[in-house]
PDB file of all heavy atoms in Angstrom:
ATOM      1  N   ALA O  87      90.291  94.832  65.634  1.00 90.00           N
ATOM      2  CA  ALA O  87      91.697  94.306  65.956  1.00 90.00           C
ATOM      3  C   ALA O  87      92.289  93.672  64.721  1.00 90.00           C
ATOM      4  O   ALA O  87      93.569  93.661  64.691  1.00 90.00           O
ATOM      5  CB  ALA O  87      91.592  93.314  67.126  1.00 90.00           C
ATOM      6  N   HIS O  88      91.519  93.229  63.740  1.00 89.00           N
ATOM      7  CA  HIS O  88      92.129  92.497  62.597  1.00 89.00           C
ATOM      8  C   HIS O  88      92.963  93.526  61.821  1.00 89.00           C
ATOM      9  O   HIS O  88      93.732  93.038  60.899  1.00 89.00           O
ATOM     10  CB  HIS O  88      91.064  91.846  61.745  1.00 89.00           C
ATOM     11  CG  HIS O  88      89.825  92.769  61.473  1.00 89.00           C
ATOM     12  ND1 HIS O  88      88.771  92.869  62.342  1.00 89.00           N
ATOM     13  CD2 HIS O  88      89.573  93.589  60.485  1.00 89.00           C
ATOM     14  CE1 HIS O  88      87.911  93.712  61.902  1.00 89.00           C
ATOM     15  NE2 HIS O  88      88.409  94.151  60.738  1.00 89.00           N
ATOM     16  N   ASN O  89      92.783  94.798  61.981  1.00 89.00           N
ATOM     17  CA  ASN O  89      93.550  95.810  61.261  1.00 89.00           C
ATOM     18  C   ASN O  89      94.870  96.054  61.939  1.00 89.00           C
ATOM     19  O   ASN O  89      95.759  96.710  61.331  1.00 89.00           O
ATOM     20  CB  ASN O  89      92.776  97.071  61.086  1.00 89.00           C
ATOM     21  CG  ASN O  89      91.608  96.917  60.185  1.00 89.00           C
ATOM     22  OD1 ASN O  89      91.515  96.115  59.294  1.00 89.00           O
ATOM     23  ND2 ASN O  89      90.459  97.693  60.535  1.00 89.00           N
ATOM     24  N   ILE O  90      95.016  95.740  63.176  1.00 90.00           N
ATOM     25  CA  ILE O  90      96.162  96.016  64.006  1.00 90.00           C
ATOM     26  C   ILE O  90      97.028  94.800  64.485  1.00 90.00           C
ATOM     27  O   ILE O  90      98.192  94.857  64.258  1.00 90.00           O
ATOM     28  CB  ILE O  90      95.724  96.887  65.320  1.00 90.00           C
ATOM     29  CG1 ILE O  90      95.008  98.130  64.862  1.00 90.00           C
ATOM     30  CG2 ILE O  90      96.895  97.144  66.171  1.00 90.00           C
ATOM     31  CD1 ILE O  90      95.861  99.163  64.145  1.00 90.00           C
ATOM     32  N   LEU O  91      96.364  93.839  64.981  1.00 90.00           N
ATOM     33  CA  LEU O  91      97.046  92.670  65.498  1.00 90.00           C
ATOM     34  C   LEU O  91      97.559  91.891  64.341  1.00 90.00           C
ATOM     35  O   LEU O  91      97.105  91.912  63.251  1.00 90.00           O
ATOM     36  CB  LEU O  91      96.131  91.790  66.361  1.00 90.00           C
ATOM     37  CG  LEU O  91      95.476  92.437  67.502  1.00 90.00           C
ATOM     38  CD1 LEU O  91      94.662  91.494  68.312  1.00 90.00           C
ATOM     39  CD2 LEU O  91      96.391  93.245  68.347  1.00 90.00           C
ATOM     40  N   PRO O  92      98.686  91.109  64.510  1.00 87.00           N
ATOM     41  CA  PRO O  92      99.268  90.294  63.489  1.00 87.00           C
ATOM     42  C   PRO O  92      98.284  89.278  62.995  1.00 87.00           C
ATOM     43  O   PRO O  92      97.532  88.762  63.765  1.00 87.00           O
ATOM     44  CB  PRO O  92     100.530  89.652  64.110  1.00 87.00           C
ATOM     45  CG  PRO O  92     100.162  89.735  65.630  1.00 87.00           C
ATOM     46  CD  PRO O  92      99.464  90.976  65.782  1.00 87.00           C
ATOM     47  N   SER O  93      98.381  88.953  61.720  1.00 85.00           N
ATOM     48  CA  SER O  93      97.367  88.098  61.071  1.00 85.00           C
ATOM     49  C   SER O  93      97.730  86.623  61.389  1.00 85.00           C
ATOM     50  O   SER O  93      98.785  86.300  61.871  1.00 85.00           O
ATOM     51  CB  SER O  93      97.322  88.357  59.520  1.00 85.00           C
ATOM     52  OG  SER O  93      98.425  87.730  58.946  1.00 85.00           O
ATOM     53  N   SER O  94      96.810  85.704  61.165  1.00 80.00           N
ATOM     54  CA  SER O  94      97.022  84.290  61.440  1.00 80.00           C
ATOM     55  C   SER O  94      98.170  83.728  60.602  1.00 80.00           C
ATOM     56  O   SER O  94      98.630  82.651  60.771  1.00 80.00           O
ATOM     57  CB  SER O  94      95.634  83.552  61.129  1.00 80.00           C
ATOM     58  OG  SER O  94      95.203  83.773  59.846  1.00 80.00           O
ATOM     59  N   ARG O  95      98.503  84.451  59.428  1.00 80.00           N
ATOM     60  CA  ARG O  95      99.463  83.930  58.526  1.00 80.00           C
ATOM     61  C   ARG O  95     100.874  84.287  59.040  1.00 80.00           C
ATOM     62  O   ARG O  95     101.861  83.654  58.546  1.00 80.00           O
ATOM     63  CB  ARG O  95      99.317  84.542  57.134  1.00 80.00           C
ATOM     64  CG  ARG O  95      98.007  84.113  56.517  1.00 80.00           C
ATOM     65  CD  ARG O  95      97.980  84.681  55.006  1.00 80.00           C
ATOM     66  NE  ARG O  95      98.069  86.176  54.970  1.00 80.00           N
ATOM     67  CZ  ARG O  95      96.957  86.901  55.134  1.00 80.00           C
ATOM     68  NH1 ARG O  95      95.781  86.432  55.292  1.00 80.00           N
ATOM     69  NH2 ARG O  95      97.143  88.223  55.065  1.00 80.00           N
ATOM     70  N   GLU O  96     100.984  85.222  60.054  1.00 77.00           N
ATOM     71  CA  GLU O  96     102.323  85.605  60.534  1.00 77.00           C
ATOM     72  C   GLU O  96     102.677  84.675  61.597  1.00 77.00           C
ATOM     73  O   GLU O  96     101.893  84.352  62.533  1.00 77.00           O
ATOM     74  CB  GLU O  96     102.184  87.025  60.986  1.00 77.00           C
ATOM     75  CG  GLU O  96     101.906  88.029  59.953  1.00 77.00           C
ATOM     76  CD  GLU O  96     101.859  89.423  60.425  1.00 77.00           C
ATOM     77  OE1 GLU O  96     102.565  89.745  61.374  1.00 77.00           O
ATOM     78  OE2 GLU O  96     101.114  90.214  59.840  1.00 77.00           O
ATOM     79  N   LEU O  97     103.919  84.311  61.637  1.00 77.00           N
ATOM     80  CA  LEU O  97     104.531  83.337  62.604  1.00 77.00           C
ATOM     81  C   LEU O  97     105.551  83.904  63.468  1.00 77.00           C
ATOM     82  O   LEU O  97     106.327  83.265  64.166  1.00 77.00           O
ATOM     83  CB  LEU O  97     105.015  82.063  61.929  1.00 77.00           C
ATOM     84  CG  LEU O  97     104.074  81.306  61.031  1.00 77.00           C
ATOM     85  CD1 LEU O  97     104.817  80.174  60.316  1.00 77.00           C
ATOM     86  CD2 LEU O  97     102.923  80.737  61.899  1.00 77.00           C
ATOM     87  N   ASP O  98     105.615  85.331  63.617  1.00 73.00           N
ATOM     88  CA  ASP O  98     106.627  85.924  64.358  1.00 73.00           C
ATOM     89  C   ASP O  98     106.175  85.935  65.839  1.00 73.00           C
ATOM     90  O   ASP O  98     105.329  86.782  66.244  1.00 73.00           O
ATOM     91  CB  ASP O  98     106.789  87.365  63.871  1.00 73.00           C
ATOM     92  CG  ASP O  98     107.900  88.087  64.650  1.00 73.00           C
ATOM     93  OD1 ASP O  98     108.580  87.503  65.452  1.00 73.00           O
ATOM     94  OD2 ASP O  98     108.003  89.383  64.438  1.00 73.00           O
ATOM     95  N   PHE O  99     106.750  85.095  66.615  1.00 76.00           N
ATOM     96  CA  PHE O  99     106.326  84.964  67.995  1.00 76.00           C
ATOM     97  C   PHE O  99     106.903  86.183  68.882  1.00 76.00           C
ATOM     98  O   PHE O  99     106.546  86.255  70.010  1.00 76.00           O
ATOM     99  CB  PHE O  99     106.790  83.605  68.592  1.00 76.00           C
ATOM    100  CG  PHE O  99     106.135  82.489  67.900  1.00 76.00           C
ATOM    101  CD1 PHE O  99     106.826  81.266  67.882  1.00 76.00           C
ATOM    102  CD2 PHE O  99     104.834  82.540  67.318  1.00 76.00           C
ATOM    103  CE1 PHE O  99     106.206  80.151  67.183  1.00 76.00           C
ATOM    104  CE2 PHE O  99     104.229  81.469  66.703  1.00 76.00           C
ATOM    105  CZ  PHE O  99     104.944  80.296  66.616  1.00 76.00           C
ATOM    106  N   GLN O 100     107.809  86.953  68.289  1.00 85.00           N
ATOM    107  CA  GLN O 100     108.384  87.980  68.979  1.00 85.00           C
ATOM    108  C   GLN O 100     107.599  89.334  68.667  1.00 85.00           C
ATOM    109  O   GLN O 100     108.015  90.472  69.121  1.00 85.00           O
ATOM    110  CB  GLN O 100     109.844  88.162  68.672  1.00 85.00           C
ATOM    111  CG  GLN O 100     110.750  87.029  69.109  1.00 85.00           C
ATOM    112  CD  GLN O 100     110.571  86.794  70.662  1.00 85.00           C
ATOM    113  OE1 GLN O 100     110.727  87.694  71.419  1.00 85.00           O
ATOM    114  NE2 GLN O 100     110.290  85.546  71.003  1.00 85.00           N
ATOM    115  N   ASP O 101     106.580  89.248  67.874  1.00 90.00           N
ATOM    116  CA  ASP O 101     105.751  90.480  67.604  1.00 90.00           C
ATOM    117  C   ASP O 101     105.234  91.068  68.868  1.00 90.00           C
ATOM    118  O   ASP O 101     104.912  90.385  69.842  1.00 90.00           O
ATOM    119  CB  ASP O 101     104.648  90.013  66.642  1.00 90.00           C
ATOM    120  CG  ASP O 101     103.642  91.265  66.389  1.00 90.00           C
ATOM    121  OD1 ASP O 101     102.772  91.542  67.188  1.00 90.00           O
ATOM    122  OD2 ASP O 101     103.884  91.821  65.316  1.00 90.00           O
ATOM    123  N   ILE O 102     105.328  92.293  69.065  1.00 94.00           N
ATOM    124  CA  ILE O 102     105.013  93.009  70.292  1.00 94.00           C
ATOM    125  C   ILE O 102     103.560  92.642  70.772  1.00 94.00           C
ATOM    126  O   ILE O 102     103.323  92.592  72.027  1.00 94.00           O
ATOM    127  CB  ILE O 102     105.195  94.608  70.199  1.00 94.00           C
ATOM    128  CG1 ILE O 102     104.904  95.233  71.564  1.00 94.00           C
ATOM    129  CG2 ILE O 102     104.241  95.155  69.128  1.00 94.00           C
ATOM    130  CD1 ILE O 102     105.901  94.709  72.637  1.00 94.00           C
ATOM    131  N   TRP O 103     102.604  92.443  69.855  1.00 94.00           N
ATOM    132  CA  TRP O 103     101.225  92.148  70.324  1.00 94.00           C
ATOM    133  C   TRP O 103     101.200  90.719  70.869  1.00 94.00           C
ATOM    134  O   TRP O 103     100.470  90.449  71.809  1.00 94.00           O
ATOM    135  CB  TRP O 103     100.271  92.324  69.167  1.00 94.00           C
ATOM    136  CG  TRP O 103     100.112  93.746  68.665  1.00 94.00           C
ATOM    137  CD1 TRP O 103     100.758  94.290  67.600  1.00 94.00           C
ATOM    138  CD2 TRP O 103      99.384  94.764  69.379  1.00 94.00           C
ATOM    139  NE1 TRP O 103     100.498  95.650  67.481  1.00 94.00           N
ATOM    140  CE2 TRP O 103      99.595  95.895  68.533  1.00 94.00           C
ATOM    141  CE3 TRP O 103      98.613  94.800  70.497  1.00 94.00           C
ATOM    142  CZ2 TRP O 103      99.020  97.196  68.869  1.00 94.00           C
ATOM    143  CZ3 TRP O 103      97.993  96.054  70.802  1.00 94.00           C
ATOM    144  CH2 TRP O 103      98.250  97.265  69.983  1.00 94.00           C
ATOM    145  N   VAL O 104     101.912  89.823  70.261  1.00 93.00           N
ATOM    146  CA  VAL O 104     101.999  88.450  70.752  1.00 93.00           C
ATOM    147  C   VAL O 104     102.710  88.418  72.161  1.00 93.00           C
ATOM    148  O   VAL O 104     102.214  87.747  73.036  1.00 93.00           O
ATOM    149  CB  VAL O 104     102.791  87.483  69.729  1.00 93.00           C
ATOM    150  CG1 VAL O 104     102.910  86.140  70.332  1.00 93.00           C
ATOM    151  CG2 VAL O 104     102.105  87.419  68.385  1.00 93.00           C
ATOM    152  N   LYS O 105     103.725  89.139  72.266  1.00 94.00           N
ATOM    153  CA  LYS O 105     104.451  89.314  73.520  1.00 94.00           C
ATOM    154  C   LYS O 105     103.543  89.879  74.598  1.00 94.00           C
ATOM    155  O   LYS O 105     103.580  89.380  75.812  1.00 94.00           O
ATOM    156  CB  LYS O 105     105.709  90.127  73.355  1.00 94.00           C
ATOM    157  CG  LYS O 105     106.791  89.434  72.611  1.00 94.00           C
ATOM    158  CD  LYS O 105     107.969  90.331  72.428  1.00 94.00           C
ATOM    159  CE  LYS O 105     108.740  90.718  73.728  1.00 94.00           C
ATOM    160  NZ  LYS O 105     109.975  91.576  73.367  1.00 94.00           N
ATOM    161  N   THR O 106     102.786  90.813  74.289  1.00 95.00           N
ATOM    162  CA  THR O 106     101.835  91.414  75.279  1.00 95.00           C
ATOM    163  C   THR O 106     100.799  90.368  75.626  1.00 95.00           C
ATOM    164  O   THR O 106     100.477  90.305  76.850  1.00 95.00           O
ATOM    165  CB  THR O 106     101.197  92.642  74.655  1.00 95.00           C
ATOM    166  OG1 THR O 106     102.177  93.588  74.389  1.00 95.00           O
ATOM    167  CG2 THR O 106     100.217  93.321  75.610  1.00 95.00           C
ATOM    168  N   ALA O 107     100.273  89.696  74.730  1.00 94.00           N
ATOM    169  CA  ALA O 107      99.207  88.678  75.029  1.00 94.00           C
ATOM    170  C   ALA O 107      99.813  87.529  75.928  1.00 94.00           C
ATOM    171  O   ALA O 107      99.166  87.046  76.869  1.00 94.00           O
ATOM    172  CB  ALA O 107      98.684  88.032  73.750  1.00 94.00           C
TER     173      ALA O 107
END
Side-chain angles (χ1 to χ4, degrees):
H88 49 272
N89 294 326
I90 300 296
L91 302 186
S93 75
S94 57
R95 297 185 300 274
E96 296 182 30
L97 300 176
D98 180 11
F99 298 150
Q100 294 304 308
D101 180 272
I102 186 57
W103 295 101
V104 176
K105 288 173 67 176
T106 300

